[in-house]
């Protein structure tokens, strides 16, 4: 197994050629078998057999690890039964509580800022001729990895006016340099702004496409009836955009909950900026506390479930109206 | 893409070659040609070495160049290729490698704490082919034991660093070299008009932010409370809330009160840039406390030349205690026991190999047989001399702590520098993390 993993060429061949071959083979075999059954039975069984490989993959790579993680969270570092010890630790340490508090701040502020700015930019850009240019510029940070964004913004926030862009601006205005990353509680906002910078592009692009889907007749009808632009926005555009906004909100919310790279690169949780995912990483890789790390992961998982549930329900409702 | 594929193929071919060579050796009863205890490095003897040795190290940039220059003669002699990868995330990468089985042949080891873990897991291989007695004689007192697990050698030092040196700008500081803390305080007082503040301190270091502060506490504790208390604290026997530790923090607190830019500068300035105000037109500080490697940063970050700076060793605090030095070093270990890896480690331990890096600068040899004359500048020579003459030598204490305690120590320093009134809660938290690290 080890040799196989090291032999990347062979591994590549297996993934690219052999795996699809096996799947095709499976489909052929399934059809052969179904062909021998009566057509009514075949129709009933076919979907199940077709979906089986996907279910198997999801079980092995998603469901099994998730269950194993939850189980692991009830065992100590050495694999001995620890019942709720890892959870007592999780909710008993002040640094963990700070992490949970910060994730709540992230989950509230990030979607708010991203949707707010995204909506404003999308609606306003919709009315100008250089819309594509505006969208492209705002979307660009999306292409940057979170780690790179963290490094870029660490330089932006640098206390030394010779290195830090923002403090250079302050210097030009004859103001003392500000410690953006070490001044509590504002430093959490400094970190969230990095994520806003990264995510707003996504919001703008998705909302802009939603805007294009709103029939012009509706807006014109509103204008003829004497509604002002603000009213049209509030009573026509916003309600029609709400499904789009909901999709963006959940995406951004999940990003906020699992935020890690930005914090790890910029403060590593110092100055009261710890977040849950960074704590999970530290416990697992730095302290080899697998049980605790699993407990943190389970908490994160539990927090994400309601968000996912809302997302799935909306998705279903949308499918039905279609 | 095409290039990386070609590299991949080349890599595969080399791996195939080297594994064939290992198999061949094993077939002829490999290892018999290795005379036990030989320390003469670089001599392939009658052994046929070939293929590659993969190395994962912490050195990058200029240090990486120096390391590669150091191994070049060995490569030439043996025909073996060294494939070096530099990493800033070494512990994590090795931990992941142990799980996946994808490990380098030879790697830097982050600290004595990790060695025991990795040796227990069977990942780190014993260096029983190194003549332990010879090696112990050649390294500064207290070094060799740090690479041992149950009396067996698993990690060896090829590079050392002297910590707790106080650097100054030769055109600002009057050259006084205080022998005691009181003399130092008096000298700082007398020269206070020469600079904005007494000290320059910078804690920022990414995920390891705060470590320069841990060095401060170690230096103070060793000289204020003595080596025994120091050993007790860093072996987990002494409580962090002990008065001796509190006193050390209090002494450092006085230092923090007299730093350039105050706590905002301290926590937001990278350790590598922290000393820059020493060389500013209007000097920001008189002294900068750092390990011997900092001269590299003086050159690259502040653009200072060797004649612009000098240092004096950390002064004694309680003069009844023996003269002590703190330091650190780079450990090297072996994860794949191949004849090539063995030969390379033997070579790297030799004074000949270490002289190559020493001559380039920014390096203090861990081998006492490297003459102090090879160092390119007076400051490094002096630092090397301090290490060789040390009456009491102590390894960087924080590196001996469990990873979680070390992290909490570093984070605690950041917190302390921002708000000294938090000391009690910082120290009791450290006690809690220590008690907890065993779970």
């Amino acid at each position: 197994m080890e040799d196989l993993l090291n032999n990347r060429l062979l591994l590549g061949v297996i993934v690219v050629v052999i795996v699809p071959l096996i799947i095709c083979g499976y489909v052929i075999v399934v059809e052969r078998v179904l062909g021998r059954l009566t057509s009514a039975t075949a129709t009933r069984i076919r979907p199940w057999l077709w979906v089986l490989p996907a279910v198997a993959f999801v079980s092995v790579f998603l469901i099994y690890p998730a269950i194993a993680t939850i189980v692991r969270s009830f065992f100590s570092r050495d694999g001995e039964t620890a019942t709720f010890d890892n959870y007592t630790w999780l909710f008993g340490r002040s640094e963990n509580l700070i992490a949970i508090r910060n994730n709540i701040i992230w989950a509230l502020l990030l979607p708010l800022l991203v949707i707010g700015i995204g909506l404003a930019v999308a609606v306003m850009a919709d009315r100008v001729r250089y819309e594509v240019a505006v969208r492209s510029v705002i979307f660009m940070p999306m292409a940057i990895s979170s780690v790179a964004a963290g490094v870029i913004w660490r330089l932006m926030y640098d206390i030394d006016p010779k290195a830090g862009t923002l403090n250079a601006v302050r210097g030009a205005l004859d103001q003392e340099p500000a410690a953006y990353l070490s001044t509590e509680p504002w430093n959490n906002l400094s970190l969230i702004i990095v994520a806003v910078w990264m995510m707003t592009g996504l919001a703008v692009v998705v909302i802009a496409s939603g805007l294009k889907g709103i029939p012009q007749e509706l807006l014109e009808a509103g204008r003829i009836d004497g509604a002002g632009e603000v009213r049209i926005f509030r009573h026509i555009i916003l309600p029609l955009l709400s499904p789009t906004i909901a999709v963006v909100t959940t995406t951004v919310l999940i990003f906020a909950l699992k935020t890690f790279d930005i914090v790890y690169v910029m403060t590593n949780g110092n100055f009261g900026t710890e977040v849950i995912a960074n704590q999970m990483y530290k416990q697992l890789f730095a302290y080899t506390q697998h049980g605790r790390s699993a407990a943190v992961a389970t908490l994160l998982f539990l927090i994400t479930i309601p968000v996912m549930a809302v997302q799935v329900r909306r998705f279903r409702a949308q499918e039905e109206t279609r | 893409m095409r290039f990386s594929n070609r590299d991949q193929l080349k890599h595969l071919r080399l791996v195939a070659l080297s594994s064939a060579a290992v198999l061949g050796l094993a077939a002829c009863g490999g290892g018999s040609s290795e005379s036990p205890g030989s320390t003469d490095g670089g001599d392939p003897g009658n052994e046929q070495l070939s293929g590659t040795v993969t190395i994962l190290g912490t050195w990058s940039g200029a240090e990486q160049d120096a390391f590669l220059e150091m191994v070049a003669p060995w490569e030439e002699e043996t025909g073996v290729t060294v494939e070096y990868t530099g990493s800033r995330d070494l512990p994590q990468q090795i931990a992941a490698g142990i799980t996946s089985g994808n490990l380098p042949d030879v790697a830097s080891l982050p600290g004595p704490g990790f060695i025991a873990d990795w040796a227990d897991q069977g990942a780190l291989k014993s260096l029983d082919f190194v003549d332990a007695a010879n090696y112990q004689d050649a390294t500064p007192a207290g070094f060799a034991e740090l690479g041992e697990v149950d009396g067996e050698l698993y990690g060896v030092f090829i590079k050392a660093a002297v910590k707790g040196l106080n650097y100054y700008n030769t055109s600002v500081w009057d050259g006084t070299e205080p022998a005691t803390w009181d003399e130092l305080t008096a000298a700082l007082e007398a020269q206070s008009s020469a600079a904005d503040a007494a000290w320059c301190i910078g804690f920022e270091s990414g995920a390891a932010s705060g470590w320069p502060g841990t060095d401060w506490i170690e230096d103070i504790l060793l000289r204020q409370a003595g080596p025994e208390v120091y050993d007790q604290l860093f072996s987990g026997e002494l409580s962090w809330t002990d008065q001796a530790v509190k006193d050390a923090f209090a002494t450092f607190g006085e230092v923090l009160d007299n730093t350039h830019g105050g706590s905002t500068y301290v926590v937001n300035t990278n350790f590598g840039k922290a000393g820059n105000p020493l060389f500013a037109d209007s000097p920001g500080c008189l002294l900068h406390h750092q390990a011997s490697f900092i001269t590299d940063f003086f050159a690259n970050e502040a653009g200072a030349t060797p004649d612009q700076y000098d240092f004096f060793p950390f002064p004694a605090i309680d003069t009844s205690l023996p003269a002590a030095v703190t330091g650190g070093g780079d450990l090297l270990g072996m994860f794949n026991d191949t004849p090539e890896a063995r030969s390379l480690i033997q070579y790297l331990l030799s004074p000949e190999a270490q002289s190559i890096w020493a001559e380039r600068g920014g390096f203090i040899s861990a081998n006492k047989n490297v003459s102090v004359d090879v160092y390119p500048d007076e400051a490094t020579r002096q630092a090397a001399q301090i290490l060789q003459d040390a009456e009491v030598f102590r390894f960087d204490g924080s590196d001996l702590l469990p990873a979680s305690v070390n992290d909490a120590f570093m984070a605690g320093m950041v917190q302390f520098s921002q708000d000294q009134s938090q000391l009690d809660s910082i120290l009791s938290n450290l006690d809690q993390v220590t008690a907890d690290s065993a779970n």
Side-chain angles (χ1 to χ4, degrees), chain A residues 11-251:
Chain A
L11 211 59
V13 170
I14 290 177
V15 169
V16 175
V17 181
I18 300 185
V19 171
L21 275 181
I22 291 176
I23 293 173
C24 287
Y26 172 81
V27 171
I28 292 168
V29 169
V30 161
E31 284 307 312
R32 282 263 166 83
V33 173
L34 289 175
R36 298 188 179 181
L37 303 170
T38 62
S39 71
T41 338
T43 317
R44 212 166 348 116
I45 302 177
R46 182 175 285 116
W48 295 106
L49 289 177
W50 275 60
V51 90
L52 188 71
V55 171
F57 271 110
V58 170
S59 309
V60 171
F61 294 110
L62 212 69
I63 298 175
Y64 165 69
I67 292 172
T69 303
I70 295 171
V71 171
R72 188 69 184 83
S73 72
F74 294 103
F75 291 89
S76 76
R77 181 196 220 161
D78 316 317
E80 281 161 36
T81 322
T83 48
F84 289 106
D85 285 3
N86 293 325
Y87 291 93
T88 343
W89 165 84
L90 177 54
F91 293 106
R93 303 275 312 175
S94 61
E95 73 221 51
N96 294 336
L97 298 179
I98 290 175
I100 294 169
R101 179 202 72 189
N102 289 341
N103 266 101
I104 295 173
I105 298 177
W106 273 80
L108 290 175
L109 284 185
L110 187 62
L112 209 65
L113 290 171
V114 167
I115 301 289
I117 299 172
L119 198 57
V121 172
V123 170
M124 287 193 266
D126 197 38
R127 290 153 191 248
V128 291
R129 255 186 295 156
Y130 46 88
E131 187 192 354
V132 178
V134 173
R135 276 199 338 225
S136 311
V137 169
I138 293 212
F139 191 72
M140 246 180 240
M142 266 309 271
I144 296 173
S145 76
S146 303
V147 172
V151 172
I152 291 169
W153 278 85
R154 217 169 67 185
L155 285 169
M156 291 282 285
Y157 288 140
D158 200 301
I159 189 107
D160 179 2
K162 276 180 249 139
T165 316
L166 293 180
N167 277 318
V169 173
R170 284 181 75 96
L173 300 172
D174 274 335
Q175 281 184 314
E176 283 292 300
Y180 292 102
L181 291 177
S182 68
T183 319
E184 287 179 69
W186 303 107
N187 51 2
N188 274 307
L189 187 62
S190 303
L191 297 182
I192 292 171
I193 285 172
V194 181
V196 171
W197 180 73
M198 285 183 68
M199 299 294 289
T200 304
L202 177 84
V204 169
V205 170
V206 176
I207 294 174
S209 71
L211 276 176
K212 304 274 179 277
I214 297 176
Q216 284 298 314
E217 305 87 76
L218 274 179
L219 304 181
E220 266 156 39
R223 287 193 187 105
I224 288 166
D225 285 345
E229 289 306 303
V230 177
R231 230 174 136 187
I232 286 181
F233 176 75
R234 274 200 53 195
H235 295 287
I236 302 178
I237 297 180
L238 212 50
L240 287 173
L241 270 183
S242 69
T244 317
I245 291 174
V247 169
V248 179
T249 309
T250 36
T251 314

Side-chain angles (χ1 to χ4, degrees), chain B residues 29-357:
Chain B
S32 60
S33 49
E34 191 81 47
S35 59
S38 80
T39 46
D40 48 343
D43 178 16
N46 49 8
E47 214 166 355
Q48 209 47 57
L49 301 178
S50 61
T52 53
V53 173
T54 51
I55 302 181
L56 184 65
T58 47
W59 310 293
S60 59
E63 287 198 311
Q64 177 176 344
D65 295 343
F67 178 76
L68 291 177
E69 191 180 313
M70 185 175 170
V71 296
W74 177 80
E75 286 182 293
E76 206 163 295
E77 198 170 338
T78 59
V80 179
T81 315
V82 165
E83 268 185 22
Y84 177 82
T85 313
S87 165
R88 287 188 159 229
D89 249 352
L90 193 100
Q92 283 89 331
Q93 224 165 316
I94 292 181
I98 290 175
T99 332
S100 71
N102 196 354
L103 283 164
D105 296 329
V106 173
S108 297
L109 303 172
F114 289 90
I115 297 181
D117 272 2
W118 293 341
D120 285 346
Q121 293 171 16
L124 195 57
K125 302 289 185 280
S126 164
L127 302 177
D128 51 12
F129 56 92
V130 173
D131 182 342
N134 253 355
Y135 166 70
Q136 188 152 10
D137 281 348
T139 46
F143 264 76
E145 297 87 69
L146 296 164
E148 289 177 4
V149 181
D150 302 328
E152 224 178 305
L153 199 61
Y154 282 91
V156 285
F157 283 96
I158 62 162
K159 185 171 183 278
V162 181
K163 297 209 164 197
L165 304 179
N166 293 308
Y167 284 89
Y168 55 84
N169 181 339
T170 46
S171 59
V172 178
W173 184 257
D174 66 4
T176 318
E177 303 213 339
T180 66
W181 190 256
D182 293 334
E183 284 177 38
L184 174 63
T185 316
L188 285 170
E189 190 76 28
Q191 299 182 53
S192 60
S193 59
D196 167 43
W199 299 95
C200 273
I201 301 179
F203 276 2
E204 199 278 317
S205 181
S209 290
W211 69 260
T214 67
D215 280 6
W216 264 103
I217 297 297
E218 288 158 20
D219 273 322
I220 293 170
L221 187 74
L222 183 61
R223 293 167 182 88
Q224 192 168 274
E228 275 163 42
V229 174
Y230 184 95
D231 292 343
Q232 281 169 3
L233 180 70
F234 293 112
S235 61
E237 288 162 36
L238 188 76
S239 160
W240 285 89
T241 45
D242 192 272
Q243 195 55 44
V245 182
K246 285 186 182 165
D247 291 345
F249 272 86
T251 306
F252 181 49
E254 286 164 28
V255 171
L256 281 172
D257 289 339
N258 201 353
T259 57
H260 172 69
S263 72
T264 307
Y265 181 89
V266 173
V267 298
N268 284 293
T269 307
N270 185 270
F271 72 93
K273 285 162 74 179
N276 290 6
L278 281 177
F279 307 103
D281 293 337
S282 128
C285 54
L286 293 166
L287 299 172
H288 181 53
H289 168 267
Q290 196 44 279
S292 49
F293 69 79
I294 196 67
T295 52
D296 238 22
F297 289 90
F298 285 164
N300 297 325
E301 292 284 351
T305 49
D307 57 297
Q308 280 184 281
Y309 56 82
D310 201 353
F311 68 87
F312 57 85
F314 206 91
I317 298 179
D318 179 342
T319 44
S320 66
L321 293 167
V325 178
T326 56
D330 290 356
L331 280 155
L332 213 59
M334 181 171 76
F335 286 96
N336 289 320
D337 193 352
T338 67
E340 288 80 13
R342 286 176 173 228
S343 162
L344 178 63
I345 289 177
Q346 296 277 28
Y347 167 75
L348 290 174
L349 285 175
S350 68
E352 298 78 43
Q354 297 191 15
S355 300
I356 296 175
W357 195 339

